[in-house]
Amino acid sequence: MIHLIKLWLKSPISENRKIAGGKGNGLGTPQGGVCPLLANIYMNLIDKAVQRVGGIFQSLGIKIVRYADDFVLMGRVIPGVVITRLKGLLDRMELTLNEEKTKLVHIRKEKSGFQFLGFEFRYNKDIKGRATTYLHIGPSPKSVKKCNENIRETLDKRGHASPANLVKVRRSQT
């Protein structure tokens, strides 16, 4: 079964009449090429390793949040040995971390925080000037930009329509 899942994950997809991904793709599966259910089955090994009682992840209090093949490891400290262990697990599955997307973030110290699945996570200062900070979770700038572009496109095409008709048109397109 694992062999079939591996083949599905590595199979090419057709996008705009061009074949993408597949066996010759050295950078991973293209967006839309991975069925989330298959990725969840395949990445189950990572979940088990992070949650294993007495394992390195669990002993350091590290938790995982994952959707398909995207994940975030969270902990007070994530030492290099944890990253090495993670890379070893991924290597066993013939996967690699995307070094462009992968970074260690101390969320309380970095103003920009991090982005995950269209959301931005960061700590903001108290708006009343107190010494406390608060976790902000909101849409990422990229998501906001895409939403604004969709609104602009809809209004450019149908700006003369009533608000009720604009909503109906937009809902039928999604």
Side-chain angles (χ1 to χ4, degrees), residues 86-104:
L86 178 64
K87 286 181 178 181
L89 291 168
L90 292 170
D91 190 49
R92 282 177 50 193
M93 296 184 295
E94 298 179 29
L95 300 172
T96 57
L97 287 176
N98 182 336
E99 297 296 336
E100 291 176 11
K101 291 171 136 182
T102 302
K103 62 182 179 175
L104 284 173

Side-chain angles (χ1 to χ4, degrees), residues 9-67:
L9 291 172
K10 292 184 177 186
S11 67
I13 63 166
S14 175
E15 195 169 5
N16 298 328
R17 297 184 182 213
K18 293 180 183 176
I19 301 296
K23 195 173 183 180
N25 184 5
L27 297 176
T29 306
Q31 194 69 25
V34 174
C35 171
L37 174 62
L38 294 176
N40 279 325
I41 293 169
Y42 201 68
M43 294 289 287
N44 192 45
L45 177 64
I46 302 297
D47 287 336
K48 285 182 177 182
V50 173
Q51 297 169 8
R52 195 179 99 221
V53 175
I56 188 167
F57 296 94
Q58 193 261 349
S59 65
L60 292 169
I62 295 172
K63 306 284 186 199
I64 187 169
V65 175
R66 187 172 64 77
Y67 176 78

Side-chain angles (χ1 to χ4, degrees), residues 61-160:
I62 295 172
K63 306 284 186 199
I64 187 169
V65 175
R66 187 172 64 77
Y67 176 78
D69 61 340
D70 290 327
F71 63 91
V72 173
L73 291 179
M74 299 174 295
R76 292 194 183 275
V77 178
I78 300 184
V81 68
V82 168
I83 303 300
T84 302
R85 174 81 171 121
L86 178 64
K87 286 181 178 181
L89 291 168
L90 292 170
D91 190 49
R92 282 177 50 193
M93 296 184 295
E94 298 179 29
L95 300 172
T96 57
L97 287 176
N98 182 336
E99 297 296 336
E100 291 176 11
K101 291 171 136 182
T102 302
K103 62 182 179 175
L104 284 173
V105 176
H106 191 295
I107 194 168
R108 288 193 184 268
K109 291 182 181 176
E110 289 192 35
K111 289 185 180 187
S112 62
F114 68 95
Q115 295 175 18
F116 181 62
L117 299 177
F119 289 91
E120 179 179 58
F121 300 80
R122 69 173 190 271
Y123 272 88
N124 286 345
K125 292 182 179 180
D126 182 58
I127 60 173
K128 296 189 178 192
R130 294 174 289 210
T132 58
T133 57
Y134 298 94
L135 181 62
H136 164 83
I137 302 172
S140 68
K142 183 178 173 182
S143 295
V144 171
K145 183 179 178 184
K146 185 176 180 181
C147 181
N148 288 340
E149 287 171 358
N150 288 337
I151 291 169
R152 191 174 300 112
E153 180 184 319
T154 300
L155 290 176
D156 284 348
K157 289 180 181 177
R158 296 174 187 85
H160 60 279

